[in-house]
């Protein structure tokens, strides 16, 4: 689908609610009628329902729920995020592809997305269930002008942006469990993973990855996971959700660049479900326990331990005790 001609054909078909003649399309795109016919067959094979009526021409009846570059780019009014987009039907992991592109110098804002992953990666060596056409599996390359130690704020920013986008597109309220799980009714809807590639004190690039359970059926999910469809009781348009995530990410990223972390942290606090609770934070065979007081400007979680001391944790798995 990366050839521009099919994109242009779709664009013409989408502009018209009624028929557009083959002659018109061929003339506007400067292609032969035979080439047009071949492209129409390819589009049909990709899932588009296109009606062809002699003497009238072609009419688009339905588009498939696919994240094709053309569908995502159409109407995406971001400046940089997602403007360069790599779409795949199946990948081992979008992270592997993004890492490769990042090392080769891909520009900031480059997005990798896949309809399914065979080796989706979660935090702490876990896997991420990535069934075809059901969720969003994305990795975004950013080249922020910040210290590697400041990068965790990008995870918080991403979580906030995804919550905001979900609200806009589905109307559903979500909560963030520190640092980066998005929940509905205490069940996991979305996971975020941030990887930093840096030389000592300078970030080369960051890969922000997210997996969102969108149209998964309840019975196909584990007991601790949920999907937007489960709560909305209807399918959500993945293209619209992805576009809104990119818009929100760009908006919040600009705020971070211009005004610092303050507003992002405040939005995170409003969406969070961890602060004020007694929590256990598990990290590499040990755990910290205490009251989750606040997050620090670098995204760390401030815990008040039972001995009254305040400790900052930067990573780990949170269990809410109450
Ligand atoms: C978590 O464990 O909570 C983080 C899950 C991150 C999953 C996403 S899906 C897209 C990207 N590619 C992967 O292999 N993992 C991330």
């Amino acid at each position: 689908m990366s050839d521009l001609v099919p994109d242009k054909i779709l664009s013409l078909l989408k502009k018209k609610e009624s028929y557009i003649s083959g002659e018109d399309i061929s003339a506007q795109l400067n292609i032969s009628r035979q080439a047009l016919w071949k492209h129409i067959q390819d589009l049909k094979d990709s899932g588009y329902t296109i009606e062809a009526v002699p003497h009238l021409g072609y009419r688009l009846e339905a588009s498939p729920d696919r994240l094709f570059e053309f569908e995502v780019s159409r109407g995406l009014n971001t400046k940089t995020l997602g403007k360069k987009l790599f779409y795949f039907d199946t990948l081992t992991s979008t992270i592997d592809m993004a890492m490769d592109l990042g090392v080769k110098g891909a520009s900031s804002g480059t997005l990798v997305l896949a309809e399914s992953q065979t080796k989706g990666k979660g935090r702490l060596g876990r896997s991420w269930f990535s069934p075809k056409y059901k969720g969003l599996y994305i990795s975004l390359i950013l080249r922020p002008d910040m210290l590697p130690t400041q990068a965790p704020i990008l995870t918080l920013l991403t979580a906030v942006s995804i919550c905001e986008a979900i609200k806009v597109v589905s109307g559903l309220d979500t909560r963030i469990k520190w640092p980066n799980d998005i929940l509905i009714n205490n069940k996991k809807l979305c996971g975020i993973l941030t990887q930093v590639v840096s030389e000592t004190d300078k970030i080369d690039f960051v890969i922000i990855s997210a997996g969102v359970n969108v149209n998964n059926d309840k019975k196909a999910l584990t007991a601790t996971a949920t999907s937007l469809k489960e709560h909305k009781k209807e399918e959500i348009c993945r293209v619209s959700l992805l576009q809104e995530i990119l818009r929100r990410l760009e908006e919040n990223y600009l705020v971070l660049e211009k005004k610092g972390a303050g507003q992002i942290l405040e939005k995170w606090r409003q969406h969070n479900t961890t602060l004020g609770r007694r929590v256990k934070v598990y990290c590499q065979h040990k755990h910290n326990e205490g009251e989750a007081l606040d997050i620090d400007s670098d995204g760390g979680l401030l815990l008040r331990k039972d001995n009254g001391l305040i400790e900052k944790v930067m990573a780990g798995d949170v269990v809410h005790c109450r």
Side-chain angles (χ1 to χ4, degrees):
M1 293 295 294
S2 58
D3 182 357
L4 281 176
V5 176
D7 290 3
K8 287 180 181 160
I9 295 173
L10 278 172
S11 208
L12 291 173
L13 289 172
K14 287 199 176 196
K15 261 193 223 151
K16 273 239 172 174
E17 274 182 17
S18 59
Y19 295 89
I20 175 164
S21 72
E23 202 178 339
D24 261 11
I25 302 178
S26 303
Q28 288 193 47
L29 303 184
N30 201 17
I31 54 172
S32 69
R33 295 293 294 277
Q34 204 180 356
L36 172 62
W37 184 85
K38 173 78 180 64
H39 284 302
I40 294 278
Q41 297 315 308
D42 288 348
L43 286 168
K44 284 182 175 174
D45 289 347
S46 302
Y48 289 89
T49 312
I50 299 170
E51 197 191 4
V53 176
H55 309 301
L56 281 176
Y58 297 102
R59 189 173 70 90
L60 181 65
E61 276 186 353
S63 301
D65 177 34
R66 298 289 179 273
L67 302 165
F68 295 137
E69 184 180 350
F70 163 79
E71 298 289 350
V72 176
S73 303
R74 196 167 176 263
L76 179 68
N77 51 357
T78 51
K79 286 209 172 68
T80 51
L81 296 205
K83 286 292 175 190
K84 189 118 186 91
L85 191 161
F86 292 83
Y87 167 87
F88 297 90
D89 193 56
T90 304
L91 280 179
T92 49
S93 160
T94 54
I95 296 174
D96 299 340
M97 179 58 68
M99 196 56 88
D100 204 35
L101 290 166
V103 168
K104 287 179 180 148
S107 57
S108 191
T110 300
L111 180 72
V112 178
L113 64 111
E115 298 281 16
S116 67
Q117 300 181 115
T118 52
K119 286 190 180 143
K121 299 175 193 180
R123 287 171 66 229
L124 309 171
R126 298 191 191 109
S127 59
W128 187 260
F129 179 53
S130 317
K132 207 167 207 176
Y133 310 136
K134 295 292 181 191
L136 291 180
Y137 317 114
I138 56 175
S139 291
L140 185 67
I141 299 169
L142 291 177
R143 298 189 183 272
D145 187 12
M146 57 171 62
L147 299 170
T149 49
Q150 296 170 311
I153 188 70
L154 295 173
T155 309
L156 306 190
L157 183 150
T158 304
V160 166
S161 306
I162 294 179
C163 289
E164 289 177 342
I166 288 172
K167 181 72 182 174
V168 170
V169 172
S170 70
L172 293 169
D173 286 312
T174 48
R175 290 270 151 256
I176 306 169
K177 186 172 89 163
W178 185 89
N180 57 5
D181 284 354
I182 299 183
L183 317 176
I184 296 188
N185 286 354
N186 276 323
K187 290 189 176 184
K188 188 155 167 173
L189 179 80
C190 163
I192 298 163
L193 198 61
T194 305
Q195 284 144 310
V196 181
V197 177
S198 64
E199 297 157 20
T200 51
D201 62 349
K202 196 183 167 315
I203 290 182
D204 184 7
F205 63 92
V206 174
I207 298 175
I208 298 178
S209 300
V212 189
N213 299 329
V214 184
N215 290 325
N216 312 62
D217 292 313
K218 183 177 159 54
K219 58 179 186 318
L221 293 164
T222 60
T224 54
T226 190
S227 71
L228 291 176
K229 184 180 173 186
E230 184 185 343
H231 293 272
K232 196 65 190 167
K233 310 284 183 232
E234 62 186 38
E235 302 243 322
I236 300 289
C237 173
R238 292 179 309 141
V239 169
S240 305
L241 180 60
L242 175 58
Q243 290 175 330
E244 193 57 32
I245 289 174
L246 294 170
R247 277 185 212 116
R248 295 285 162 166
L249 266 172
E250 186 163 282
E251 234 174 81
N252 287 320
Y253 188 58
L254 285 177
V255 170
L256 176 72
E257 276 187 335
K258 281 198 185 129
K259 303 192 174 157
Q263 268 190 42
I264 306 301
L265 292 171
E266 204 35 55
K267 282 191 186 185
W268 188 92
R269 288 186 186 101
Q270 281 164 20
H271 280 97
N272 100 93
T273 178
T274 299
L275 301 184
R277 289 181 190 255
R278 184 166 182 85
V279 297
K280 285 183 186 169
V281 186
Y282 291 87
C283 192
Q284 291 176 345
H285 310 299
K286 70 180 193 107
H287 76 268
N288 272 310
E289 187 167 349
E291 187 196 345
L293 279 186
D294 200 359
I295 39 168
D296 211 354
S297 55
D298 58 4
L301 181 69
L302 300 174
L303 273 189
R304 181 168 35 222
K305 316 253 295 192
D306 290 341
N307 60 10
L309 290 179
I310 294 178
E311 193 165 315
K312 180 156 80 174
V313 275
M314 290 309 295
D317 253 348
V318 165
V319 173
H320 293 155
C321 305
R322 55 174 185 258

